[in-house]
Amino acid sequence: MTTHCAAVIPAPHQAIEIREFPSPELQPGAALLRTLFSEVCGTDVHLWHGKLAGVPYPLIPGHVSIGAVAALRTPLRDIAGQPVREGDVVTFLDVHETCHTCWYCLVGKQSTRCPHRKVYGITYGADDGLLGGWSEAIWLKPGLKLVPIPAGLDPETFIGGGCGLTTALHAVDLAQLQLDESVVVLGAGPVGQSVTALASLSGAGEIITIGGPDDRLEFARRMGATTVIGLEPSPEERAGTVRGATGGRGADVVIEASGAPEAVIQALEMVRDGGRVVVVGQYTDHGTVPLNPHLQINRKHATIRGCWGSDFSHFHRAVAIAARHGGRFPWRELAARRYALADADVALLAVERREVVKAVIAVHPSVAPAPASR
Amino acid sequence: MTTHCAAVIPAPHQAIEIREFPSPELQPGAALLRTLFSEVCGTDVHLWHGKLAGVPYPLIPGHVSIGAVAALRTPLRDIAGQPVREGDVVTFLDVHETCHTCWYCLVGKQSTRCPHRKVYGITYGADDGLLGGWSEAIWLKPGLKLVPIPAGLDPETFIGGGCGLTTALHAVDLAQLQLDESVVVLGAGPVGQSVTALASLSGAGEIITIGGPDDRLEFARRMGATTVIGLEPSPEERAGTVRGATGGRGADVVIEASGAPEAVIQALEMVRDGGRVVVVGQYTDHGTVPLNPHLQINRKHATIRGCWGSDFSHFHRAVAIAARHGGRFPWRELAARRYALADADVALLAVERREVVKAVIAVHPSVAPAPASR
Amino acid sequence: MTTHCAAVIPAPHQAIEIREFPSPELQPGAALLRTLFSEVCGTDVHLWHGKLAGVPYPLIPGHVSIGAVAALRTPLRDIAGQPVREGDVVTFLDVHETCHTCWYCLVGKQSTRCPHRKVYGITYGADDGLLGGWSEAIWLKPGLKLVPIPAGLDPETFIGGGCGLTTALHAVDLAQLQLDESVVVLGAGPVGQSVTALASLSGAGEIITIGGPDDRLEFARRMGATTVIGLEPSPEERAGTVRGATGGRGADVVIEASGAPEAVIQALEMVRDGGRVVVVGQYTDHGTVPLNPHLQINRKHATIRGCWGSDFSHFHRAVAIAARHGGRFPWRELAARRYALADADVALLAVERREVVKAVIAVHPSVAPAPASR
Amino acid sequence: MTTHCAAVIPAPHQAIEIREFPSPELQPGAALLRTLFSEVCGTDVHLWHGKLAGVPYPLIPGHVSIGAVAALRTPLRDIAGQPVREGDVVTFLDVHETCHTCWYCLVGKQSTRCPHRKVYGITYGADDGLLGGWSEAIWLKPGLKLVPIPAGLDPETFIGGGCGLTTALHAVDLAQLQLDESVVVLGAGPVGQSVTALASLSGAGEIITIGGPDDRLEFARRMGATTVIGLEPSPEERAGTVRGATGGRGADVVIEASGAPEAVIQALEMVRDGGRVVVVGQYTDHGTVPLNPHLQINRKHATIRGCWGSDFSHFHRAVAIAARHGGRFPWRELAARRYALADADVALLAVERREVVKAVIAVHPSVAPAPASR
């Protein structure tokens, strides 16, 4: 019997183990992916810490991945109707089973809140099969939405952008940026870096990225930040710097991508009256912060938008953006820290300790042989 | 010399006094209004308590008023270019001196945040002249925006709607209601009542008004609420009732018009995922409340809009709405509690103690004689 | 073998025939509906005239229908997850097979332009089975979106609104009406009548319905029109009347629901500078009309939106609106002209000759016995 | 008495004359500008041909200009409140006397349709004074909105962008471009070139500019076009090329900036179903074109927006964009063809004959002496 190795979080806080799984029986419409790269991101740390609700441990993490089609049961097609063939390098939207029959899908048109959606590497568990990317092979269930990697997009650039780029695109869409508007980006991690790049790509004026440490700020400059601010100055000082760079008014748009709850309040202090705040960094419950509704919402006349998840449109466009603009923005360098599958625990620790902006599990780097069989 | 009596708040917390003021010298473009009615609203209580910044005491309160033109220096025209003549009954936008030259007016297009705007009865003081409505006469400075009361709109209906109706209209505009969407209104005071009416007028589906006491809830039903909830149930119980009336999801739209800071958090608990919250009640600083950014903003995928002030478009349309729909919604009854100018202190106390939804200073009720001269 | 009778258009311009069809074999997820009412609308006339592309004759017309569930293979649920049982009275979205896998569904989010969608009574032919409403029974294919008729909504009110109400709701959504805005409705047929009602329900100010003959205009008044204009005055005179009722400016919003190509140009003449025009009546190709881009688009600074088809959100909300507001707007009377299935040809002629606003095929009116078997 | 020379169109079709005008008496708030550069654009050709209504000949053309403040009566300030001093290089919004008191300004919020607005060089005539830019000096009337040229923006880059850049910015705002959307630009003149640049600056995906002759298309590539199409292929062939570059669908956005009426119809043929068309090129009445409402609007489910004029927000941001991005986009080269004031007639002919994309009247190039006095 063919088997594939995968890294597994047995339960919250437990050490990652490498386990073997049988190759899935492919139904019509299914496929098997030989993994090239899979991502390690902040969400994986939260998964390890047991901070997300509804996760069926044991778990094979890895929600954004890229690989080569190793086996197909029946012909597959992408959204343009083009055939996907064995050997093609593809990625796929981690969200599956969005139902298209519930109120949120059909009436509210908020499919990221569909109660039936499942997410590879997060809400599918290892008992469900090879449904996470930290694995030699990934089972692409029927109906999963594939995106072929276009000619000219190297896999490293794609995985360097990864889920941070898709998330950032959704957030920047919600910000409804107009040309020359000023933007503050809170956070210099994977999402903050891509928000910075996409604000620049959108023709923003001043782009002020706030975070740390210094090498991340330096990278943010290369992503398009016109000003960077570290975390040594007090929040008041940082807000003062923002006002100084924006005619005394505060920024037209602030995008919170740091994950610290107090950053949401800082965002409200930094946005100009009548401006917009997008909250995209709060994917885990870190408790409450004090909000002054009079000063920070009502009198500000501000708009605040929460941004949860992404749908296929964001993912599809993120791939196109990485392909078209990968030469202008150094997403590729975010994929520089690669770890073998056997070192997934080391990769996770590096992300937990913020030693790297992002870690990549390089399962079968591009010159890799066919999936191992045992 | 002609003089006019006006009620004056000498300083925060001091007793109201009736004082005499000389009739203003009318420049070209100015006019004198013989006051029919002026409003007493929650803002006036805040002014008495000294809760608003930048108020130049002594103060003649009264920001929304209606009267008859008693004297004109030069011909005036309304926005349609029609002449305004002596004897015409008119109201006017309390906001004046919006500059049309600053960044907020010209680029941000957020004129309610123009730093130069002045407000009758709030940021003009008694030393500036007869620039508040609790007075026998009001000085209409050049450039003030007049709105003639159309045929068929009785002054009581207009003043019953008053500033609450204009504020509610701005809030409902920001809510971008679609037909059949569910709405929760937090607060059953003047703004909450008009939000309820305008939600009904907008073709909302379920309209759930939450507040107290019971007579206000009963009135809210007449304004169009399909369900009302008092304040005896706990916030969790109220949120449960809202979910029960909205397919388990929470409301499409929640409009916070109560003024209690914790109501903003309750609004975020009551809105459905992907819904909209408008915060219009927080006109005074009552401190902070604990906000959970993960649960209440990010994961909710909600939009929150602060609503500060109103501009001429809201005021103009509010008059038109009162004229067209005054028979359907009982705004007129909100003007039922009238007080003589000499009893302005009693009126203010009645509002402070929430004995009335709204009090009206009836200076020269419709059959009144010409402005008193002494 | 059980069979059901259905009215069939054999080919364009040919006489309608009543034919027998075998009862469908029900797959899991399928059901059989005993038809109560099905609609005859302008589209059916176009189908008879062969004016629509891609129609697979012979055809069982009838895209909006209502009926009682007569047989079920497996349990069905509505979008709220509630079970649908035998005997329940339901309607269903005529559009089926929207693919949720193509660019239009997933990226463009314009599912009404999905190339895979099929429509009961229009793009499914009689050779595909009982997939039109002019039939004793309708085959509900798996995945079809059902909407149970809520308590308190009589079937006649629903079918009186019918596809015109759903179409009108989509158009009024696109118009983004604000309270007190003026609206011109071009056309007094089923769509125009419901646009008039929904403009009123949305709190529009002046609502001017233009069309004929007089009894339709009289009905439009009952639907909420504040002014009606017949077709005897010239287009210039009608535009003059519109300007007279809108402060000389033209209407804030014009919704074209007449189907006459020249009405699109008239709409552009009647809308105010900076206003909005929704084009919803042009479902058939009637050729070209002369457009002046300078005067009618560029200098007008107007927005024009084409409105094609409806999705489930419109249909679902249309049922809710009919249920909630059926007492206020006389949709029920639009279903007054009922024809037996055997008289479908007479019904179609009555609609073609504009003798009735709408005709209804009453297959098994509410007291009807179980579906006839032969 | 001090006088200033200016170029004057005496009447439609008459030869341009150089006339002398007395220096204006400066009221408080007024200033005199020593002209550096003034633009010659397509509108000036239309003015010469007598194609615009309401123009009070004789006329000093030149609506977008840049100059140095030569005299001031009282201190002036920009919108940030910063003082403007003698010698400062400034530009100004050509639109003046927007009234802030009419329905369009206050309620419709469409100030570009304010009936009271006056435009330098277009609706102010020579009899009104030095109110056009083809002149040694320009009279800045009180209340005119000045924009200081920021450090780092050379006057040639600003005037190279000129009114085309401001107009393009308004059009691109209306297009509501999202990252990676495809854009077709119809027209390769000054507006089309800046639309191309701003689409690129906005992060559009494919940018297809259509026009001629070849050198303009080559320039469009430098402005950011990814594909260019000349006018030799038929409209059908061009539409086919657009579809080929956009997955067979047509473009997400088409911006018509050519001025040819038939281009509006071509735009509707090139836009994808559910896409957006902005019509910004039709500033003159060139008659009608045949429109098919069924195929080109209704079934397209498209949105079409007319774009008339610009307001201060567009002008202010256009200056900021030219300052920030003048190194990336070669606006400066559009100002390469300069003509002395005495050669204004030659400049106008060059624009009429499309020999140049744009001509610039260089009155006092940057090293120029103080305004000539005679």
Side-chain angles (χ1 to χ4, degrees), chain D residues 274-299:
Chain D
R276 285 150 276 147
V277 171
V278 177
V279 177
V280 66
Q282 308 289 323
Y283 270 76
T284 316
D285 186 355
H286 288 298
T288 64
V289 283
L291 167 78
N292 184 306
H294 167 64
L295 295 174
Q296 290 161 348
I297 299 183
N298 203 132
R299 197 173 132 179

Side-chain angles (χ1 to χ4, degrees), chain B residues 136-276:
Chain B
E136 290 174 338
I138 305 172
W139 175 26
L140 306 184
K141 298 184 80 167
L144 202 69
K145 303 287 187 279
L146 302 182
V147 180
I149 298 298
L153 172 55
D154 61 283
E156 290 84 354
T157 293
F158 169 74
I159 204 75
C163 83
L165 172 56
T166 299
T167 301
L169 179 57
H170 190 179
V172 170
D173 277 1
L174 290 178
Q176 297 183 295
L177 263 173
Q178 284 195 303
L179 287 169
D180 196 54
E181 286 194 315
S182 55
V183 179
V184 166
V185 184
L186 297 180
V191 177
Q193 297 290 352
S194 279
V195 168
T196 302
L198 295 183
S200 178
L201 186 59
S202 301
E206 292 300 313
I207 302 171
I208 304 166
T209 302
I210 303 180
D214 284 355
D215 59 337
R216 293 190 182 196
L217 293 179
E218 198 44 51
F219 195 81
R221 281 192 190 280
R222 296 173 57 211
M223 285 301 227
T226 58
T227 301
V228 297
I229 308 177
L231 301 177
E232 304 75 28
S234 70
E236 290 69 30
E237 288 170 321
R238 288 177 236 154
T241 304
V242 168
R243 280 193 297 274
T246 55
R249 290 183 300 270
D252 295 313
V253 166
V254 182
I255 300 182
E256 191 291 307
S258 77
E262 57 272 21
V264 173
I265 305 302
Q266 292 166 14
L268 292 167
E269 290 291 326
M270 287 173 178
V271 76
R272 70 162 167 88
D273 290 358
R276 284 151 277 148

Side-chain angles (χ1 to χ4, degrees), chain B residues 18 40 46 65-66 103 105 109 111 149 151 174 187 199 207 219 231 249 293 317:
Chain B
I18 302 294
V40 183
H46 294 317
S65 309
I66 185 171
W103 189 92
C105 284
K109 296 180 183 174
S111 70
I149 298 298
L174 290 178
I207 302 171
F219 195 81
L231 301 177
R249 290 183 300 270
R317 288 164 57 216

